[in-house]
Structure formats: C-alpha cells, structure tokens
Amino acid sequence: MENMLGRARAFAEPLIADERLEGSGENTLAHADAVAAIVAAMGGSEAMQAASYLVYSCQHLNRPQEVIAKVFGDNFAALAVETTKLVHVQKQARSATIGAHTADGNGAQTENVRKMLLAFSRDLRVVMLRLASRLQTLRHAAASKQPVPESVARESLQVFAPLANRLGIWQVKWEIEDLSFRFLEPETYQLIARLLDEKRVEREGYVAQLRAELESQLRGEGIDATVQGRPKNIYSIVKKMRGKSLDFGQVFDIMALRVVVPDVKDCYAALAWVHSRFEPIDEEFDDYIARPKPNGYQSLHTVVRKVTQGRSGKPIEIQIRTEQMHEHAEHGVAAHWAYKEAGHKGYAGVWASGEYDAKIAVLRQLLAWERDLSGGPQGQGLFDDRIYVLTPDAAIVELPQGATAVDFAYTVHTSLGHRCRGARIDGAMVPLNTPLQNGQTVEIIAAKEGGPSRDWLNAELGYLASHRARAKVRAWFNAQITHETVAKGREAVEKLLQREGKTATRLEDLASQLGFKSADDLFEVVGKDEFSLRNIEILLRPPEPAANPDDGVQIKKPRASEKSGKGGVLVVGVSSLMTQLAKCCKPAPPDAIGGFVTRGHGVSVHRADCSNFRTMAKLSAERVIDVEWGQPKASEVSVYAVDVAVEAADRQGLLRDISDVFAREKMNVIGVQTQSLKGTAWMTFTIEIADAARLVQVLKVVSAVSGVRSARRR
C-alpha cells in the first residue's frame, strides 16, 4: 500500500482534529502526529506509524474493526482495536484504584497496568504504541507546564520506563524516567538540573577536548573509532547518589564517553589501548559483550582516570561497542523488528540477521520484565496461566488460561454465573464452552432466574476452567440439597409439636433454647438424623420438681428402691423418717452429706458444702441430723440427678457435640437449659449418675469439646 502514513492521517483527521484528549487536554491529532514521530524514532515501520492515527479513530466509529479492515486491511484493524482496548483498560484500572482509596493504591494500579501491558504484548506493536503515547503525554505536560497526576507519573516511572529498558529502547527509557521524576519530585529535579547547567560549559569543554584526543589517537592506532559524549540522565544521577550515598560533586564530576567501532575485535583493541593510556579503576569494569544483559544489551564498560604529572584526574566513564550493538542499545528490539503485510498470515517479526524468531526474543524480554517487577521466579510468567478479557464496559477480568464465558460470568458475579445461558465474544454468539482468548470482549446473556447446569461440572465437556467457578456451581447444588434436608427436618419438628400440643411454640425460640442460631440450623441436623427429637421432647416436658414449702429447697426422690434407708440414704439413729434429696445441691454418692429435718416433709438431704444447708444449720442447729449413704442391694442400681454447668463460645452444633459426649459416656441427660448472649453460651444439663466420682472424669472430656471454656458440677 502506497503512502500508508498519509492515507491513515487523512482518514483520522476529520474525526479527531477538533477534539482533545481526556486528562491532558492535548489536541488528539497533534498527539497522534507526535506518537507517529516517536514510533519512527524508535525504529517502527511506516505501517506502525500509520496505526498511531487509526487508534484514536476507533472511538468515533460504530464498528471500528469492520470499517478500518475495509479501508486498510485486517492487520491494521486488529492493531488499532487492540491498542484502543488497552487504553480503555488502563483508564478503568486507574479509576478503580483511585476510587478504592486504599493505602496501597499506587501499588495496585502499577500491578494492574503491568498485567494489562503483558496481556496485550503478544503483539509488540501495541506495547510500542503505548510507550510512545505515554512519552508524548509527559512531553506535552512538560512543554505546557501542566501538572501530571501522581498516579500517571508513578505508573510511567515504575511500569513504562522499566518496559522500555527491557526492550532496550534507551532513549525512551531515559526520557520517561526524567519526565516522570520531574513531576514526582519537582524540587529535587530542578536542583540537579540547575547544578548540571552550572557545570555544563566547563564539563562540555573538557569532554569535547577529551573526545577529539581519544578519537584521533585510536585512529592513529588503526582503530576506526567514532567517539561521542554521552548525555546525563537526571534520574540515573539521583539513583546513583541515593544508592551509593554520593554527593552532587562526586556524581557530576564523572565524564562520560562512548566509543563506537566496526567489530568486536576492535572493541577489545580499543579497551586495551584505553587501559594502557589511562589508569583503570578495576572494580568499575564490566564486559557485557561476553556476558550480555538479559535484554540483549552488549558493551564494554570501564572507568579510568587520566594521570598528569603523577596526579590522577577526574574519573571518565567509557563505553565501547560495535555499530550493531549501538543500534540495539539505542532502539532495542525495535531496531530489529520488521513488519510486513502478509495477507491472511498477518504481521510477522523477524530479526535482521534471521537467526531466530524475533517474537520469541521479545516475549522473553517481556517475561523478564514481568519478573523484574513482580519478583517472581524464572519461568512463572503471566503468559503461562492467565488471560485478560474485557466486559462490554471495558472493565478488566483476569481468568485462568482456557477459561470460558461461564468462568467469566462467575468471576463477574456469582448470580450472573448461575443465570448464564449464552455468550457473545467480540459481538458474535459462541457456545458456552468456547475457550476465551486474551483481550476479547465478553458479553453474557442471562436468564432472570435459575441455576447452573450439572453439565458444567463435567470436566470432559470443558465448561469450566476456574476452580472458584466450579466451587460456586457445587455450592449451588449443595444448597439445593440443604433446602430439601431443612424441609424434611421442619416437617419432623412440626409433627412433634403437634403431638405434644405445643403448636404455638415459636420455632426460632425453640432452636435458640436448644443451642442453635436459627430454626433452619435445627431443621438441618434433624433432617440429617444428627439430632434426636428426644432432646426436643425433654425440653418440652421437663421433670416436675417438688417444692419444700418450709425452706424453699427443691427436692427430688431418686428412682432407687426406698427400702432400707429411704432412697439409699441412711438416717443415723432414725430408720423410719422419710428422706428426700435437696434440689438446690443435688447430692450423689460419694458426696459428704448432711440432713435437715423439715416441717412435714421428713429429712432433706444436702451436700455438706451446700450454702443453703449451712445457712439453715446456722439458724436452726437443732434440726440438723447426721446422715450417710446406704448400701443398695446388688440387684438394684440407684441413680441421682445432678446439674452440670457449661460455658462456651457459641457456635452451630455446640449442643449436639456436648450431648454426644454424655451419650458416649452412657450418662442419661434428663434436662437441658440454654442461654446465649453476645457469642457466649451458658448451658445447664441435668444428668442421672450413679457415682459423682465418675462425673469428674466425664467433665474433663466435655471441657475438651471445641469452644468449651468451662464445665463443672453446680
């Protein structure tokens, strides 16, 4: 296609000539002109420069992919649309971060932009266009003396500059660093710029003299060398000062020269000559030809001093490289990236030398750049297992590799996933198990209500790649099973209440009394046959205690035979008196006991340490009588009711777990009272025992139940 650049500008001009970019306020056409020029300087082809204009035309077209493809071809359409998507995604990520107002907002934003650049960077053209656009945004702000939002400046310094470094585009890296730093730390920037300017004439004069001298002498040795002065990067000066705790003078006094020679052997010949004429600083020597940097950069670096009359002069930094190394150092990957229109095959990038596929080389650098920023181990890159797609509103959604529209729907919202019935990818209807590709726009067609299909859980059908989405589908089906279980349990409880004539009982109150947070929790365990209805019967029909009208002491006759000592209690010296166990302390063998003669109700037997008993004995000492436990017949088993108080952190299933302990220990629970307040549950169990000593062992087991703080006999 002839004059592609002119045609693209003519196509875009009526669409963007009168508009301004959001945020910077720069005229859009002027911005596109500048981006095209930067792309050209980076080594981008005319076709890629033309794409600079088409990117900004997309938002003015109803169907940009179709329109641009018709006029310029599918390759241009894909590039323009992909770059436009990335622009929208970056804005979305930045807005979301600003809206979150989190302490780590800058870090989150940087991470989002880094991920998005990586996600779209399978096509290097998209990345280079974004680099060029960001550089122009910073240039415009500096030229017009407009502030740049801190988020944009920090994003430029922490994401775009390292990306340019990884791609080896040094000029772009340095300029983005300096401009970003200028907006982030204006006072420091101005101070260093002023100090540089003050020493500029002196420094440039010395460098010019040294440059001419070095070039002339190298050529005299038969080395065809070109020597240049090397510009200073303000941000690199700041990093060096802060990293090595140097003062301004130490940094500014370092001179910098670059020697460019025809081939590698000339590099080492020039190095040998320089080291023979100057005093080298050994620790400052680096051989990046033998050991290139990860981004492919090659050069010899040395720092030397000129010795005059026995005195060492100022340090001089010298870089020695070939023309090819210099071209790569200046323009990086872009210097070797060739684009060609290849019909249905699309753009193909090749190294000028043809040694290996340039795309592979670029991806290696991008992955290395990712590891630089994330600190992740080698080989674990975002390309390995993640893709990034867009909602119709250009919001970013991160998904595992191989994810489908169903995964996408569940990631956006669980309800949307349950109701998902169809999907459009980039406007076209597709089957729900179609794997998504990076950068696609996904739209979900959902029913008003409903649930997932069981087919989605069939791994062979390929509907779900996300573990989280699969878990949400399982949870939905589990909830349906739970619903059926709750209905079954409710029916059983309501039938019991009808039999007991307690239909007026509030179900929530009943559940609370039994230690459950809600009626549904009670119904669920009943429906699963994990909670006996007998516990509810006991709660509804507690044993009726007998009252002592004289002293208010609750009494209960034991179940054992009343022969020989009336209920297993032997009244010393009086064998015919009626005995009853006091309800207030509920004694049981082998407790130490004492008797108190009541008016008309025989002898009330108390534990010796019962506070009620001690009070009554103090007031009416003449009514105290000695008692002791009788020996039951071998054929009889006497049981006694005692109260156990339990305090615990309230949780679902607590009552069930404690009841299970008593059941395993073969202790019959005949009454339960519960109360819960602010997360703490207090429970009183009335238990039938034959031996109080045995109860001590059981209470240790109860204390070991999860959440139980204390378990003691009352």
Side-chain angles (χ1 to χ4, degrees), residues 403-432:
T404 66
V406 182
D407 289 301
F408 171 88
Y410 274 108
T411 303
V412 172
H413 197 281
T414 301
S415 172
L416 183 64
H418 291 336
R419 296 180 290 108
C420 176
R421 296 295 178 268
R424 291 188 183 92
I425 297 179
D426 290 336
M429 290 293 296
V430 297
L432 284 177

Side-chain angles (χ1 to χ4, degrees), residues 1 34 212 236 243 282 344 358 382 401 403 452 497 527 542 548 576 584 588 657 671 676:
M1 296 185 183
S236 68
D282 293 340
H344 67 281
L382 290 173
Q401 194 74 253
L497 294 178
N548 185 334
S576 60
C584 60
D657 292 347
S676 180

Side-chain angles (χ1 to χ4, degrees), residues 553-555 581-586 606 610 612-613 643 714:
V553 176
Q554 296 291 317
I555 60 173
L581 300 178
K583 185 69 174 176
C584 60
C585 58
K586 294 183 178 177
H606 296 258
C610 175
N612 283 343
F613 177 67
D643 285 341
R714 294 185 68 174

Side-chain angles (χ1 to χ4, degrees), residues 327-346:
E327 181 70 8
H328 180 75
E330 290 297 296
H331 301 296
V333 173
H336 305 288
W337 191 269
Y339 296 97
K340 59 184 178 181
E341 286 66 45
H344 67 281
K345 293 181 180 179

Side-chain angles (χ1 to χ4, degrees), residues 210-238:
L210 190 62
R211 186 200 68 76
E213 179 183 337
L214 186 58
E215 184 174 282
S216 172
Q217 292 183 9
L218 283 172
R219 293 194 174 195
E221 293 292 319
I223 301 172
D224 186 14
T226 301
V227 182
Q228 308 163 346
R230 189 159 57 86
K232 279 194 174 288
N233 172 212
I234 289 180
Y235 182 65
S236 68
I237 290 173
V238 172

Side-chain angles (χ1 to χ4, degrees), residues 680-693:
T680 298
W682 290 271
M683 301 177 178
T684 301
F685 295 85
T686 303
I687 304 167
E688 290 183 330
I689 64 172
D691 185 354

